[in-house]
């Protein structure tokens, strides 16, 4: 009587109130939420590949520099204003682009909300995986050899044979590479477990995702990247974060070869690395052959035209500027550059593409043009107060110095993911529960969703009979 | 030699077209002769396509998938190989009726490209990495080909209206769904390999493994769509038509990635094509 009352009281007791932890737990362990998060990530990646992302494809300053960003938005209005609708008034088209910019659609992969999405997804995947770990572990550690009598009678997939000797059952299961467990209790009970190890596949592929996100974060936080534009024969120092000794890169010579149609056939830089006054490495660096030294990689990134220029004070003959000018910009295909002289006047130079190149030079005092000259190779011309010499054309090579942190994590993640997915899909776990006595043998089982257990039972029954 | 290569391409494209006619003929009449003719023509087409790639490889001295024409040809080859595997595995030529048209359309697209890209040529410096060009892009060729097979399965499933199996002379929705799922099981690890090898190559040539370049992002999008499919397929309420629709989106993403060179920009666009 007492027992009944206690049981009744328990049944009637109000269920424990779900607190905020329960809600968070349910959300994080829900596969549906995980799917939704991956869908959001997919949609973001899709948008990011459709809309121009200046940081990745053009120039980060279009996002970071306020003036250039304003210019970029003007361009974006022309290009993406139509998203407001074909008939939308101008202000709505502009507002649409401003709204897109406000939610970082032109720099989605660096947006805070995108990173937050990755973190939430990482948590969700971790929780979903941990949530499934315990039951999987249990079936691996304590296999159930004998199931309830009712199971052998009612299992969805079952085959009933006449009595089969235990020896033959063991032989057939062994031949089919099942791990065998057995127990005697009136009848003989067998459990055949195949590919149990493959259960770790899901764990591996989901751990891979976490490592990917972690590797990406490590790369962002601890990586180092610097572009050095080095004219032929010149040297530039590298200052990797955390390096004890600075390294100097010398570009001994840069060579670019072109085919008849103007496409590049090959280009390379002969680089020399000097550390503490000692040469430590030397290599011909191509796009696909970077120079690696002390955890840094020196990549052939790009190249451009340069000019060897000297400027003297015309009155005194004193040299006030003598260096190789790199043409980073071009106006209508003509390389241009502006240098500020020590006198605060500006030297503006152009290198028109000609069979025999000449340097077009201008001198500005503030906005006022002082003079213009076309200077042949090896000659000088006076422009305003200056004597400008064009010693000759040359080239600069852009060497990207990079240290990629977290790359080993990415490699481990890739191996874990591919291995995990292959194990899950192509080594499906299947378990057979067999009860054998003098009268009959019942064969039942369970298998992963990708496995045709019905067919397997048919095959085994033929072998057993 | 260039003419010889294009001769093989044309022969292959014609054989694919004729095999398609034969598969349709078989689908409508179930004639034994039509079925055998379809299989034979598809076999001839596949061999011609493979020979076409081998010849290009020999002449150019690099793996023959360095521009849109070459990739489209290789993509179609991969689909035709998948077509033969599917035919052997399922013994049902009505499935092939949905696979071969994709290969045919790709070859048609390749044939319409300008002549300049049809000639086997040298590589630009960024692509001059024999090992990675071979394995990174060939993984993509295989993955895309198998995604096409899963798309064919998804189309059959949807045409059948799912388990209702509306059209008696088509393969059943169950068979189609099985084909689509098995194809994804093959292609997803391959696509993961594409991304991994791509990251490895980018780390060598572009100084970083991942930089959200539009083409690599599109390839990731494709991968994620199929990851969603694999999870959704096992969820109540998503089984059947909803998850099959994800396969259609997945192949849309595959084509978006492939044709992306026209509109995506970024580092994967080599000379426009």
């Amino acid at each position: 009587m007492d027992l009944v009352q206690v049981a009744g009281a328990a049944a009637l007791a109000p269920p424990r109130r779900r607190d905020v932890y329960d809600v968070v737990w349910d959300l994080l362990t829900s596969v549906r939420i995980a799917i939704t998060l991956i869908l959001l990530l997919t949609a973001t990646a899709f948008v990011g590949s459709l809309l121009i992302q200046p940081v990745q494809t053009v120039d980060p300053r279009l996002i970071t520099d306020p003036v250039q960003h304003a210019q970029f938005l003007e361009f974006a209005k022309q290009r993406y204003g139509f998203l407001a609708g074909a008939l939308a008034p101008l202000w709505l088209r502009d507002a649409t682009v401003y709204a897109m910019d406000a939610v970082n659609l032109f720099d989605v992969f660096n947006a805070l909300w995108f990173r937050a999405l990755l973190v939430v997804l990482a948590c969700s995947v971790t929780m979903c995986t941990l949530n499934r770990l315990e039951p999987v572990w249990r079936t691996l550690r304590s296999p159930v050899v004998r199931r309830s009598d009712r199971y052998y009678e009612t299992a969805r997939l079952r085959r009933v044979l006449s009595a089969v000797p235990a020896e033959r059952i063991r032989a057939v299961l062994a031949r089919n590479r099942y791990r065998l467990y057995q127990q005697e209790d009136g009848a003989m009970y067998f459990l055949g477990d195949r590919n149990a190890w493959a259960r770790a596949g899901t764990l591996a592929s989901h751990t891979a995702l976490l490592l990917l996100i972690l590797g990406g974060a490590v790369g962002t936080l601890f990586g180092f990247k610097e572009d050095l534009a080095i004219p032929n024969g010149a040297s530039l120092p590298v200052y990797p974060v955390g390096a004890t000794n600075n390294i100097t890169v010398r570009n001994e010579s840069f060579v670019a070869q072109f085919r008849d149609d103007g496409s590049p056939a090959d280009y390379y830089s002969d680089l020399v690395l000097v550390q503490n006054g000692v040469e430590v490495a030397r290599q011909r660096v191509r796009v696909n052959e970077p120079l690696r030294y002390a955890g840094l990689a020196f990549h052939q990134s790009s190249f451009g035209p340069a000019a060897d220029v000297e400027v003297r004070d015309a009155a005194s003959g004193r040299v006030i500027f003598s260096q190789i000018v790199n043409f980073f910009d071009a106006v209508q295909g003509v390389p241009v550059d502006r240098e500020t002289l020590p006198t605060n006047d500006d030297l503006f130079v152009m290198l028109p593409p000609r069979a025999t190149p000449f340097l077009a030079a201008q001198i500005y005092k503030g906005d006022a043009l002082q003079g213009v000259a076309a200077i042949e190779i090896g000659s000088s011309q006076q422009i305003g107060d200056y004597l400008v010499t064009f010693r000759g054309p040359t080239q600069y090579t852009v060497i990207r110095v990079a240290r990629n942190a977290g790359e080993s994590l990415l490699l481990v993640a890739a191996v874990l993911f591919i291995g995990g997915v292959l194990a899950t899909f192509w080594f499906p776990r299947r378990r057979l529960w067999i009860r054998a006595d003098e009268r009959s043998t019942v064969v039942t089982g369970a298998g992963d969703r990708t496995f045709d257990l019905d067919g397997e039972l048919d095959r085994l029954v033929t072998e057993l009979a | 030699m260039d003419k010889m290569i294009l001769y093989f391409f044309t022969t292959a494209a014609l054989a694919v077209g004729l095999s398609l006619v034969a598969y349709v003929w078989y689908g409508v009449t179930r004639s034994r002769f039509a079925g055998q003719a379809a299989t034979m023509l598809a076999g001839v087409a596949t061999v011609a396509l493979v020979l076409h790639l081998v010849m290009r490889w020999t002449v150019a001295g690099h793996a023959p998938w360095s521009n849109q024409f070459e990739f489209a040809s290789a993509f179609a080859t991969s689909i035709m190989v998948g077509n033969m595997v599917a035919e052997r595995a399922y013994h049902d030529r009505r499935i092939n009726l949905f696979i071969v048209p994709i290969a045919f359309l790709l070859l048609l697209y390749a044939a319409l490209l300008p002549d300049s890209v049809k000639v086997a040529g040298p590589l630009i410096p960024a692509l001059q990495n024999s090992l990675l060009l071979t394995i990174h892009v060939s993984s993509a060729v295989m993955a895309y080909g198998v995604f096409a097979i899963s798309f064919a399965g998804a189309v059959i499933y949807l045409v059948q209206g799912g388990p209702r199996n509306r059209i008696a002379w088509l393969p059943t929705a169950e068979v189609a769904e099985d084909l689509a799922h098995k194809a994804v099981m093959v292609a997803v690890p391959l696509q993961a390999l594409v991304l991994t090898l791509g990251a490895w190559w980018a780390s060598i040539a572009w100084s970083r493994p991942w930089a959200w370049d539009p083409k690599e992002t599109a390839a990731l999008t494709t991968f994620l769509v199929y990851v969603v499919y694999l999870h959704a397929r096992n969820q109540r309420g998503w089984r059947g038509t909803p998850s099959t629709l994800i396969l259609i989106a997945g192949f849309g993403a595959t084509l978006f990635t492939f044709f992306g060179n026209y509109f995506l920009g970024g580092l994967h666009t080599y000379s426009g094509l």
Side-chain angles (χ1 to χ4, degrees), chain A residues 83-98:
Chain A
L83 291 172
L87 300 172
L90 194 61
W91 67 265
L92 187 58
R93 294 162 73 98
D94 291 357
T96 306
V97 170
Y98 285 125

Side-chain angles (χ1 to χ4, degrees), chain A residues 73-299:
Chain A
L73 285 183
E74 288 308 310
F75 160 80
K77 284 178 196 168
Q78 301 296 320
R79 185 154 176 160
Y80 301 117
F82 77 93
L83 291 172
L87 300 172
L90 194 61
W91 67 265
L92 187 58
R93 294 162 73 98
D94 291 357
T96 306
V97 170
Y98 285 125
M100 288 163 73
D101 185 48
V103 292
N104 300 100
L105 286 192
F106 299 118
D107 193 22
V108 277
F109 304 116
N110 292 315
L112 202 61
W113 63 262
F114 179 71
R115 292 186 175 169
L117 183 65
L118 285 178
V119 171
V120 176
L121 178 66
C123 294
S124 168
V125 170
T126 310
M127 298 312 285
C128 282
T129 310
L130 288 179
N131 203 29
R132 293 180 52 183
L133 203 56
E134 199 271 328
V136 171
W137 184 249
R138 206 168 48 219
T139 71
L140 292 178
R141 295 311 302 165
S142 344
V144 179
V145 180
R146 182 192 170 173
R147 303 200 60 167
S148 69
D149 289 341
R150 190 177 149 72
Y151 174 78
Y152 294 96
E153 304 306 323
T154 58
R156 192 175 64 85
L157 291 174
R158 63 193 280 271
R159 301 285 188 276
V160 182
L161 297 84
S162 54
V164 179
E167 264 319 301
R168 195 190 298 166
I169 294 175
R170 278 193 280 269
V172 167
L173 290 184
R175 195 160 60 230
N176 286 282
R177 284 180 285 155
Y178 280 88
R179 186 171 179 178
L180 189 70
Y181 302 87
Q182 58 185 11
Q183 184 181 322
E184 192 168 1
D185 188 3
M188 279 300 291
Y189 292 91
F190 296 95
L191 162 67
D193 194 349
R194 184 162 169 200
N195 294 340
W197 61 272
R199 269 300 160 101
T202 327
L203 180 66
S205 50
H206 289 90
T207 308
L209 181 77
L210 297 183
L211 288 182
L212 267 185
I213 295 175
L214 198 65
V218 168
T220 310
L221 291 173
F222 303 109
F224 162 80
K225 190 174 74 182
E226 186 182 9
D227 283 340
L228 304 175
I230 322 174
N232 276 339
S235 298
L236 281 178
V238 189
Y239 299 102
V241 179
T244 47
N245 294 305
N246 292 328
I247 298 168
T248 307
V249 198
R250 187 166 73 241
N251 167 21
E252 299 232 299
S253 85
F254 170 80
V255 174
Q257 291 160 350
F258 295 88
R259 298 197 181 92
D260 293 341
D261 63 359
S263 64
D266 190 15
Y267 53 94
Y268 56 81
S269 307
D270 287 327
L271 296 188
V272 175
L273 298 190
V274 176
Q275 192 170 25
N276 301 328
V278 181
E279 179 182 317
V280 288
R282 172 185 286 269
Q283 189 186 309
R284 179 162 288 179
V285 172
R286 290 187 165 87
V287 178
N288 275 293
E289 294 162 18
L291 163 62
R292 297 187 190 277
Y293 174 73
L296 292 169
F298 296 78
H299 299 267

Side-chain angles (χ1 to χ4, degrees), chain A residues 340-353:
Chain A
T340 301
L341 301 174
T343 51
N344 278 334
D345 293 342
D346 282 340
L347 169 71
F348 183 78
V349 282
M350 290 194 290
L351 198 64

Side-chain angles (χ1 to χ4, degrees), chain B residues 58-139:
Chain B
T58 315
V59 169
H62 61 79
W65 30 76
S66 63
N67 65 29
Q68 284 285 97
F69 176 80
E70 292 185 337
F71 195 94
S73 310
F75 189 175
T77 310
S78 168
I79 294 173
M80 289 305 289
V81 171
N83 178 65
M84 299 196 73
V85 173
E87 188 170 329
R88 281 196 72 81
Y90 287 87
H91 305 290
D92 188 343
R93 291 196 182 94
R94 297 167 301 174
I95 291 175
N96 305 82
L97 195 53
F98 289 79
I99 299 174
V100 177
I102 310 170
F104 185 67
L105 287 175
L106 274 168
L107 289 173
L108 202 62
Y109 157 73
L112 292 174
L113 285 170
D115 287 343
S116 58
V117 293
K118 290 181 185 163
V119 182
L123 293 170
I124 62 155
L127 292 179
Q128 289 169 4
N129 187 324
S130 179
L131 174 72
L132 281 165
L133 173 70
T134 307
I135 57 176
H136 166 61
V137 191
S138 68
S139 309

Side-chain angles (χ1 to χ4, degrees), chain B residues 25-38:
Chain B
W25 180 15
Y26 172 80
V28 176
T29 63
R30 305 301 293 279
S31 138
R32 194 180 149 83
F33 172 73
Q36 285 171 343

Side-chain angles (χ1 to χ4, degrees), chain A residues 325-438:
Chain A
V325 170
N326 295 331
F327 294 95
F328 293 121
D329 294 318
V331 174
Q332 290 175 346
V334 178
V336 296
D337 183 60
R338 195 178 194 109
E339 298 282 338
T340 301
L341 301 174
T343 51
N344 278 334
D345 293 342
D346 282 340
L347 169 71
F348 183 78
V349 282
M350 290 194 290
L351 198 64
R354 295 281 186 281
T356 311
F358 67 91
L359 188 76
Q362 300 172 327
I363 294 284
Y364 285 87
K365 271 187 192 300
D367 288 338
L369 179 64
Q370 301 299 296
V372 183
I375 314 170
E376 304 284 331
I377 296 173
S379 62
S380 307
Q381 297 256 0
Q382 184 165 350
I383 312 172
D385 302 336
Y386 302 99
L387 188 68
V388 181
T389 306
F390 176 37
R391 286 194 289 238
T394 180
Q395 282 176 309
Y396 66 86
T397 183
V398 178
I399 298 297
R400 170 163 291 185
V401 191
R403 180 174 57 215
N404 284 318
E407 270 192 356
S408 45
L409 280 178
L410 302 184
L411 187 68
V412 173
V415 172
L416 275 180
F417 181 83
I418 295 172
V421 168
L422 289 177
T424 308
F425 288 154
W426 297 104
F427 297 87
R429 186 187 192 193
R430 68 277 319 249
R431 281 176 291 173
L432 300 173
W433 283 280
I434 302 174
R435 187 185 67 193
D437 56 28
E438 306 86 46

